[in-house]
Amino acid sequence: MTFRKPILPALALVAALAGCAREGELVVDQGVGITAVLTSCPSVGIPDYTGDITAFRAAGDQTAANLDMTATITNLRHTCDESGEKVYSQATFDVLARRTDVRGARSVTVPYFVTVLQGGSAVVSKRVGEVTISFADGQERAQASGTASSYIDRAAATLPEDIRERITRKRRPGDVDAALDPLSAPEVRAAIQRTSFEMLVGFQLTEQQLAYNATR
């Protein structure tokens, strides 16, 4: 069995992202000011409602009695090389599957997507891959592994020097702007947003499958 229908346009319903905060992007210093551990690497996560896929035997019947197979993306791991002009990011993950009818050997191919977003909404790239899960005769559970990768323009993911200086500049007690949060400035927030990238991995679901995940 193979699932190949497209996901909703522009990843609709994917509003909240799992694990997609830019960890280490900005850290409060011991003194007055902010130390920036600035990275060009994207954050990596699984968008809500796309980390699971459920298949039913007969169309239109989404009851437990009609359940055929379920699969979940888990153990998402991430590496990143930001040494060149293009930032290379790679993720690996496991797919854990369970079927209800264990009679006979069976292989199931499920599609997954890897999408790069800039600024939380602009789709930079999207690719679709496949993972094949193989069940032995009598086996209820099976596991497979997948990989996802992307390239990001380092310049696009780097804060302008003037913005970087405003964020990281040491402020001494008594300075006029010592009590001001540089991140509260609209132009600083906008610059951080523009240079924020996310690499998202999830199952390539049909509209019905995505709606099922969102409402169950």
Side-chain angles (χ1 to χ4, degrees):
M1 177 181 295
T2 302
F3 307 97
R4 296 182 183 274
K5 294 182 180 179
I7 196 171
L8 286 173
L11 294 179
L13 297 182
V14 181
L17 305 178
C20 288
R22 300 196 75 178
E23 297 183 7
E25 177 71 15
L26 298 168
V27 181
V28 178
D29 194 11
Q30 296 294 327
V32 179
I34 294 177
T35 297
V37 186
L38 299 173
T39 176
S40 302
C41 293
S43 56
V44 176
I46 303 170
D48 283 354
Y49 315 126
T50 68
D52 301 277
I53 188 169
T54 303
F56 297 92
R57 295 190 186 91
D61 181 2
Q62 295 183 339
T63 63
N66 192 44
L67 184 64
D68 179 36
M69 188 204 74
T70 60
T72 301
I73 294 177
T74 187
N75 298 329
L76 183 63
R77 303 168 296 276
H78 174 227
T79 60
C80 180
D81 181 1
E82 54 181 330
S83 60
E85 293 184 2
K86 294 289 186 179
V87 178
Y88 177 69
S89 184
Q90 184 177 58
T92 59
F93 57 91
D94 296 327
V95 176
L96 306 182
R98 180 180 180 181
R99 62 174 177 168
T100 56
D101 186 351
V102 300
R103 294 172 296 179
R106 179 185 176 191
S107 291
V108 181
T109 299
V110 292
Y112 66 90
F113 67 84
V114 51
T115 296
V116 175
L117 294 185
Q118 181 179 10
S121 59
V123 177
V124 176
S125 65
K126 178 182 177 181
R127 290 182 295 170
V128 177
E130 293 182 336
V131 171
T132 298
I133 308 157
S134 297
F135 295 92
D137 184 21
Q139 184 181 22
E140 179 186 14
R141 300 175 185 270
Q143 178 176 335
S145 298
T147 61
S149 61
S150 66
Y151 285 94
I152 295 172
D153 185 5
R154 182 182 177 85
T158 301
L159 283 172
E161 191 58 38
D162 62 324
I163 299 295
R164 183 188 296 260
E165 193 279 333
R166 288 180 61 177
I167 293 173
T168 61
R169 182 171 60 83
K170 289 280 189 176
R171 293 166 175 80
R172 297 179 180 179
D175 286 351
V176 175
D177 61 349
L180 299 179
D181 179 7
L183 301 183
S184 65
E187 62 272 22
V188 173
R189 293 201 306 268
I192 292 174
Q193 184 75 0
R194 285 194 303 271
T195 59
S196 174
F197 285 82
E198 299 155 338
M199 186 171 78
L200 309 179
V201 180
F203 285 120
Q204 180 79 358
L205 303 174
T206 66
E207 294 186 15
Q208 293 76 19
Q209 290 167 336
L210 187 57
Y212 176 81
N213 286 353
T215 57
R216 65 179 177 175

